[in-house]
Amino acid sequence: MLKAFQWDNYYNTGIDIVDKEHQQLVNLLNALIGVLVNKQQITEKELFLLLDKLEEYAQVHFSDEEKIMLLYKNKQETNKLYAEHLRQHFRQHNYFMKYVASMREEYTNDSGKNKNSILEELAHYITVWLSFHILGSDQEMANFFAEFENKPRHISCEDKNLASHALLKAMEELYNQMARRNAQLLKAQAELSDLNANLEKRVEERTKELSEALSEVDSTRKRLMQSEKMSAIGQLAAGVAHEINNPVGFVNSNLGTLKQYVEHLLNFIKLYEDNIGNTNSETFKEIVRAFKEDIDYDFLKDDILDLLNESTDGLNRVKRIVQDMKVFLHVDKGEWEDSDLNQILDGTVNVVWHEIKYKAELERRYDQSLPRIRCVPAKLSQVFMNILVNACQAIETTPGKIILETKLSESNPNQVEVSISDNGKGMPPNVIKHVFEPFYTTKAVGKGTGLGLSLSYEIIQHHGGDILVESEVGKGTKFTVILPINLQE
């Protein structure tokens, strides 16, 4: 059912002119939706006037937005990521105007019986397109601007979650609408195959437009998958905090004990200072023996070193966790480099350890002679994180077992293999064939979006590799990631 566009805080980009124009666009859109929902009787001339206002204001907004982006481009000439963002962003604006114009043409040429449904479809398209464009490309644009101005954006976790859900919903609705439109046109193409060449050409052109639309939706889906990655990190945050809190807790306790020890030693030094001229007397020596016995001096001097060593180990543990988390937080800025797969796996385990330690024993079977490979470590960590978390969630009887194995490929000496096995509940064949499809999930509603493995598959393909999966119900699952050693970027 067609509904008005509900504006909320998480649509704001923090750029005044952009946010004001977005809200004006929403007002014009809701005016059109109001006519359709309330079945208001207006003339076709009045309707076209309303559509003209909407199109014209969209063009004004796109022009203003692009001028701002070009100003920053002149200051960021070497920023390839921003240049690619501009290309995609401008392309979305251009496609939107073409699609709206084509729908208007379809409405004008219709004989009359489908006019209202065409208008409803147009209004629905504009609604979902605005939603995913504002929450996707425009928010990404705002993030670039904040980075360039060195003014980080402060967005609440609640708004981030609401925005992610709204973006996912808009993405699915737009994808479904494009699919429906494509199916309708394919059907029309079959029914009109006996008409003249001009009509056939028109159908081909429309099919091409829809293919471009699906391509655009696919591009947006990739960005949505990056959002899914950040959502997964958010879910792990509590576990990471717990892993940091444990060593910090005993370091704090050790500092309290050290404070007492230092006070004892300072008092011991003061004892010598107060008796500087009598240190050789038997009376003073007896006082010293009694004082050392009172503070348990022999134990104290050994325990001080133990406390310092324990505290150093704890702080090193915190340091490793923070360093490993930084890998995930900078995934979008990851660079290609020669990396040690065993180290990447260990770093990922540190991040998800809170998920693992209560569910399974972890066994490492690393080939220590494994050659370094050309990769983006942050992205491979993301893949391993998705698989490890899924393995933990598949284990229903604790303690389970997870095995990490690295080795040279037996069939190809120019490839390496990373396998992650679990003894969880396993998957039947009808589930295995869908595991890498976007939005496919067997988890309960609200427990997963079905994007983790789809994203992982794309990352491995981008690395010139492959992911294989073996599973048996009741016995467990094994994912094998195959990667080339020397990939040409």
Side-chain angles (χ1 to χ4, degrees):
M1 181 180 177
L2 194 58
K3 295 181 180 178
F5 191 115
Q6 297 295 323
W7 185 268
D8 210 327
N9 286 336
Y10 53 78
Y11 285 105
N12 289 322
T13 64
I15 306 167
D16 288 342
I17 186 172
V18 172
D19 290 334
K20 287 178 182 177
E21 291 181 356
H22 281 164
Q23 292 181 46
Q24 180 60 20
L25 270 175
V26 169
N27 290 338
L28 291 170
L29 170 62
N30 284 340
L32 174 62
I33 292 175
V35 170
L36 297 172
V37 171
N38 299 322
K39 302 187 184 302
Q40 297 175 11
Q41 297 299 319
I42 64 172
T43 65
E44 192 156 79
K45 182 178 179 180
E46 291 172 325
L47 178 62
F48 278 126
L49 183 61
L50 184 57
L51 290 173
D52 287 339
K53 287 182 179 179
L54 183 57
E55 278 190 84
E56 289 168 6
Y57 196 83
Q59 189 63 66
V60 169
H61 166 63
F62 293 161
S63 177
D64 289 343
E65 203 171 73
E66 290 169 7
K67 286 177 184 176
I68 299 173
M69 287 190 283
L70 288 173
L71 285 175
Y72 279 95
K73 181 185 178 185
N74 294 332
K75 301 176 184 178
Q76 301 287 331
E77 294 180 351
T78 60
N79 193 319
K80 294 181 179 179
L81 287 175
Y82 185 59
E84 175 62 18
H85 169 78
L86 257 62
R87 189 182 72 81
Q88 293 287 350
H89 206 134
F90 286 19
R91 182 183 173 193
Q92 288 184 16
H93 289 171
N94 186 49
Y95 177 75
F96 174 85
M97 297 305 299
K98 286 184 177 179
Y99 189 84
V100 172
S102 70
M103 289 291 288
R104 283 195 62 173
E105 181 183 358
E106 183 176 338
Y107 175 85
T108 303
N109 295 332
D110 190 82
S111 60
K113 61 180 181 179
N114 293 320
K115 279 185 176 291
N116 196 59
S117 62
I118 293 172
L119 279 180
E120 289 182 353
E121 187 172 349
L122 173 59
H124 183 260
Y125 168 79
I126 296 174
T127 300
V128 295
W129 186 92
L130 274 178
S131 184
F132 90 74
H133 183 73
I134 293 173
L135 294 173
S137 296
D138 286 344
Q139 293 295 338
E140 187 177 357
M141 171 189 70
N143 289 337
F144 271 116
F145 292 173
E147 180 182 340
F148 297 158
E149 297 293 344
N150 198 24
K151 296 178 181 178
R153 301 178 68 198
H154 300 288
I155 305 172
S156 70
C157 292
E158 181 180 3
D159 279 349
K160 285 182 181 178
N161 290 334
L162 290 172
S164 294
H165 287 302
L167 181 57
L168 178 58
K169 182 179 179 181
M171 180 64 228
E172 290 177 328
E173 290 182 5
L174 186 58
Y175 192 93
N176 290 335
Q177 184 170 2
M178 293 300 97
R180 288 195 303 271
R181 292 284 295 167
N182 192 42
Q184 291 167 4
L185 286 175
L186 290 174
K187 181 180 179 180
Q189 187 177 15
E191 293 174 348
L192 298 174
S193 61
D194 58 339
L195 296 181
N196 59 54
N198 288 334
L199 288 177
E200 289 180 351
K201 183 179 180 180
R202 184 181 172 214
V203 171
E204 290 173 359
E205 290 174 350
R206 183 57 61 86
T207 303
K208 182 180 178 181
E209 290 172 0
L210 286 169
S211 295
E212 291 176 355
L214 289 172
S215 175
E216 187 63 40
V217 169
D218 185 62
S219 176
T220 304
R221 179 178 58 84
K222 291 177 181 177
R223 290 194 294 274
L224 180 61
M225 287 180 172
Q226 293 301 325
S227 176
E228 163 70 11
K229 188 274 308 181
M230 295 308 296
S231 175
I233 291 177
Q235 294 174 6
L236 292 172
V240 171
H242 181 75
E243 290 301 308
I244 290 176
N245 189 56
N246 281 342
V248 168
F250 72 70
V251 167
N252 185 60
S253 174
N254 288 351
L255 287 175
T257 304
L258 282 170
K259 181 176 181 292
Q260 295 178 5
Y261 288 175
V262 169
E263 288 174 352
H264 290 328
L265 292 176
L266 289 174
N267 290 333
F268 197 21
I269 292 171
K270 188 176 184 304
L271 178 64
Y272 270 87
E273 289 176 341
D274 293 343
N275 296 273
I276 194 68
N278 302 313
T279 56
N280 292 322
S281 69
E282 288 301 320
T283 301
F284 178 73
K285 290 179 181 179
E286 183 61 32
I287 292 172
V288 168
R289 280 194 296 272
F291 188 88
K292 290 173 68 175
E293 183 178 343
D294 183 52
I295 66 174
D296 199 355
Y297 177 77
D298 291 335
F299 171 79
L300 181 149
K301 67 181 182 180
D302 293 332
D303 197 38
I304 284 177
L305 294 177
D306 291 340
L307 290 175
L308 289 173
N309 288 334
E310 286 178 5
S311 298
T312 300
D313 290 342
L315 293 175
N316 284 335
R317 169 67 178 159
V318 173
K319 180 181 177 182
R320 285 195 300 272
I321 293 172
V322 172
Q323 287 175 335
D324 293 329
M325 277 299 292
K326 285 172 68 177
V327 171
F328 291 96
L329 295 176
H330 292 87
V331 65
D332 295 328
K333 300 179 181 178
E335 296 181 354
W336 291 88
E337 56 186 81
D338 294 328
S339 303
D340 185 332
L341 269 178
N342 295 338
Q343 289 182 0
I344 294 174
L345 270 172
D346 282 339
T348 308
V349 167
N350 284 339
V351 174
V352 299
W353 182 243
H354 190 71
E355 295 280 334
I356 297 173
K357 66 180 182 179
Y358 297 114
K359 298 295 290 287
E361 298 174 354
L362 186 67
E363 180 179 343
R364 294 175 172 90
R365 299 176 184 176
Y366 292 169
D367 182 348
Q368 300 299 337
S369 63
L370 204 66
R372 300 174 77 85
I373 71 165
R374 194 71 178 164
C375 66
V376 182
K379 291 189 177 294
L380 290 189
S381 293
Q382 188 177 346
V383 172
F384 299 146
M385 180 186 75
N386 288 334
I387 298 175
L388 278 169
V389 170
N390 283 348
C392 292
Q393 293 173 347
I395 294 173
E396 297 178 326
T397 302
T398 58
K401 188 168 188 177
I402 295 175
I403 301 173
L404 305 181
E405 183 176 7
T406 61
K407 65 179 181 179
L408 275 173
S409 172
E410 296 177 0
S411 59
N412 188 337
N414 295 316
Q415 293 179 332
V416 295
E417 296 180 2
V418 179
S419 65
I420 301 176
S421 310
D422 66 72
N423 63 348
K425 60 185 178 182
M427 298 179 287
N430 65 309
V431 171
I432 294 175
K433 66 182 181 180
H434 294 296
V435 292
F436 297 118
E437 295 177 6
F439 306 115
Y440 181 82
T441 180
T442 58
K443 298 174 184 176
V445 175
K447 297 295 185 181
T449 60
L451 290 173
L453 288 179
S454 176
L455 171 59
S456 299
Y457 189 77
E458 288 193 13
I459 290 173
I460 297 305
Q461 281 195 319
H462 185 58
H463 279 72
D466 196 8
I467 302 183
L468 307 179
V469 56
E470 307 168 48
S471 187
E472 187 174 345
V473 175
K475 292 189 176 181
T477 301
K478 177 180 180 180
F479 282 89
T480 302
V481 177
I482 303 171
L483 293 163
I485 295 173
N486 296 308
L487 175 67
Q488 297 300 317
E489 300 169 30

